[in-house]
PDB file of all heavy atoms in Angstrom:
ATOM      1  N   ALA A 953       7.524  -6.944  -8.835  1.00  0.00           N
ATOM      2  CA  ALA A 953       7.253  -8.561  -8.884  1.00  0.00           C
ATOM      3  C   ALA A 953       7.923  -9.204  -7.821  1.00  0.00           C
ATOM      4  O   ALA A 953       7.416 -10.072  -7.226  1.00  0.00           O
ATOM      5  CB  ALA A 953       7.525  -9.050 -10.235  1.00  0.00           C
ATOM      6  N   ARG A 954       9.142  -8.727  -7.637  1.00  0.00           N
ATOM      7  CA  ARG A 954       9.994  -9.445  -6.554  1.00  0.00           C
ATOM      8  C   ARG A 954       9.333  -9.095  -5.223  1.00  0.00           C
ATOM      9  O   ARG A 954       9.317  -9.984  -4.264  1.00  0.00           O
ATOM     10  CB  ARG A 954      11.455  -8.834  -6.570  1.00  0.00           C
ATOM     11  CG  ARG A 954      12.329  -9.806  -7.244  1.00  0.00           C
ATOM     12  CD  ARG A 954      13.837  -9.391  -6.964  1.00  0.00           C
ATOM     13  NE  ARG A 954      14.183  -9.273  -5.543  1.00  0.00           N
ATOM     14  CZ  ARG A 954      15.117  -8.431  -5.121  1.00  0.00           C
ATOM     15  NH1 ARG A 954      15.741  -7.632  -5.950  1.00  0.00           N
ATOM     16  NH2 ARG A 954      15.348  -8.258  -3.920  1.00  0.00           N
ATOM     17  N   LEU A 955       8.995  -7.799  -5.005  1.00  0.00           N
ATOM     18  CA  LEU A 955       8.360  -7.567  -3.615  1.00  0.00           C
ATOM     19  C   LEU A 955       6.946  -8.223  -3.538  1.00  0.00           C
ATOM     20  O   LEU A 955       6.793  -8.764  -2.327  1.00  0.00           O
ATOM     21  CB  LEU A 955       8.169  -5.983  -3.613  1.00  0.00           C
ATOM     22  CG  LEU A 955       9.302  -5.076  -3.708  1.00  0.00           C
ATOM     23  CD1 LEU A 955       8.894  -3.644  -3.632  1.00  0.00           C
ATOM     24  CD2 LEU A 955      10.385  -5.479  -2.564  1.00  0.00           C
ATOM     25  N   ALA A 956       6.225  -8.353  -4.569  1.00  0.00           N
ATOM     26  CA  ALA A 956       4.950  -9.038  -4.460  1.00  0.00           C
ATOM     27  C   ALA A 956       5.118 -10.482  -4.062  1.00  0.00           C
ATOM     28  O   ALA A 956       4.358 -11.078  -3.317  1.00  0.00           O
ATOM     29  CB  ALA A 956       4.300  -8.890  -5.798  1.00  0.00           C
ATOM     30  N   GLU A 957       6.229 -11.067  -4.584  1.00  0.00           N
ATOM     31  CA  GLU A 957       6.521 -12.598  -4.295  1.00  0.00           C
ATOM     32  C   GLU A 957       6.711 -12.659  -2.807  1.00  0.00           C
ATOM     33  O   GLU A 957       6.258 -13.546  -1.966  1.00  0.00           O
ATOM     34  CB  GLU A 957       7.666 -12.990  -5.121  1.00  0.00           C
ATOM     35  CG  GLU A 957       7.882 -14.494  -5.089  1.00  0.00           C
ATOM     36  CD  GLU A 957       9.087 -14.908  -5.883  1.00  0.00           C
ATOM     37  OE1 GLU A 957       9.605 -14.133  -6.745  1.00  0.00           O
ATOM     38  OE2 GLU A 957       9.599 -16.086  -5.634  1.00  0.00           O
ATOM     39  N   HIS A 958       7.604 -11.815  -2.265  1.00  0.00           N
ATOM     40  CA  HIS A 958       7.975 -11.767  -0.806  1.00  0.00           C
ATOM     41  C   HIS A 958       6.724 -11.558  -0.084  1.00  0.00           C
ATOM     42  O   HIS A 958       6.429 -12.294   1.011  1.00  0.00           O
ATOM     43  CB  HIS A 958       9.023 -10.694  -0.586  1.00  0.00           C
ATOM     44  CG  HIS A 958       9.357 -10.738   0.836  1.00  0.00           C
ATOM     45  ND1 HIS A 958      10.252 -11.492   1.396  1.00  0.00           N
ATOM     46  CD2 HIS A 958       8.961  -9.907   1.958  1.00  0.00           C
ATOM     47  CE1 HIS A 958      10.338 -11.243   2.725  1.00  0.00           C
ATOM     48  NE2 HIS A 958       9.511 -10.125   2.919  1.00  0.00           N
ATOM     49  N   ILE A 959       5.984 -10.511  -0.415  1.00  0.00           N
ATOM     50  CA  ILE A 959       4.797 -10.110   0.384  1.00  0.00           C
ATOM     51  C   ILE A 959       3.830 -11.234   0.564  1.00  0.00           C
ATOM     52  O   ILE A 959       3.256 -11.555   1.607  1.00  0.00           O
ATOM     53  CB  ILE A 959       4.187  -8.819  -0.123  1.00  0.00           C
ATOM     54  CG1 ILE A 959       5.240  -7.626   0.118  1.00  0.00           C
ATOM     55  CG2 ILE A 959       2.919  -8.450   0.478  1.00  0.00           C
ATOM     56  CD1 ILE A 959       4.908  -6.514  -0.787  1.00  0.00           C
ATOM     57  N   THR A 960       3.496 -11.858  -0.626  1.00  0.00           N
ATOM     58  CA  THR A 960       2.498 -12.940  -0.543  1.00  0.00           C
ATOM     59  C   THR A 960       3.042 -14.223   0.087  1.00  0.00           C
ATOM     60  O   THR A 960       2.104 -14.844   0.835  1.00  0.00           O
ATOM     61  CB  THR A 960       1.908 -13.395  -2.067  1.00  0.00           C
ATOM     62  OG1 THR A 960       3.159 -13.630  -2.710  1.00  0.00           O
ATOM     63  CG2 THR A 960       1.297 -12.212  -2.686  1.00  0.00           C
ATOM     64  N   SER A 961       4.220 -14.362   0.125  1.00  0.00           N
ATOM     65  CA  SER A 961       4.835 -15.448   0.808  1.00  0.00           C
ATOM     66  C   SER A 961       4.712 -15.321   2.357  1.00  0.00           C
ATOM     67  O   SER A 961       4.773 -16.308   3.198  1.00  0.00           O
ATOM     68  CB  SER A 961       6.248 -15.775   0.450  1.00  0.00           C
ATOM     69  OG  SER A 961       7.134 -14.784   1.053  1.00  0.00           O
ATOM     70  N   LYS A 962       4.544 -14.065   2.702  1.00  0.00           N
ATOM     71  CA  LYS A 962       4.470 -13.804   4.261  1.00  0.00           C
ATOM     72  C   LYS A 962       3.035 -13.970   4.777  1.00  0.00           C
ATOM     73  O   LYS A 962       2.782 -13.790   6.000  1.00  0.00           O
ATOM     74  CB  LYS A 962       5.087 -12.467   4.468  1.00  0.00           C
ATOM     75  CG  LYS A 962       6.556 -12.508   4.343  1.00  0.00           C
ATOM     76  CD  LYS A 962       7.311 -13.374   5.337  1.00  0.00           C
ATOM     77  CE  LYS A 962       8.758 -13.217   5.091  1.00  0.00           C
ATOM     78  NZ  LYS A 962       9.478 -14.428   5.881  1.00  0.00           N
ATOM     79  N   LEU A 963       2.033 -14.027   3.842  1.00  0.00           N
ATOM     80  CA  LEU A 963       0.626 -14.149   4.402  1.00  0.00           C
ATOM     81  C   LEU A 963       0.558 -15.460   5.151  1.00  0.00           C
ATOM     82  O   LEU A 963       1.053 -16.526   4.796  1.00  0.00           O
ATOM     83  CB  LEU A 963      -0.272 -14.254   3.142  1.00  0.00           C
ATOM     84  CG  LEU A 963      -0.443 -12.917   2.403  1.00  0.00           C
ATOM     85  CD1 LEU A 963      -1.323 -13.354   1.117  1.00  0.00           C
ATOM     86  CD2 LEU A 963      -1.221 -11.925   3.246  1.00  0.00           C
TER      87      LEU A 963
END
Side-chain angles (χ1 to χ4, degrees):
R954 257 192 57 205
L955 298 180
E957 187 179 347
H958 176 85
I959 293 161
T960 56
S961 77
K962 292 295 177 191
L963 286 171

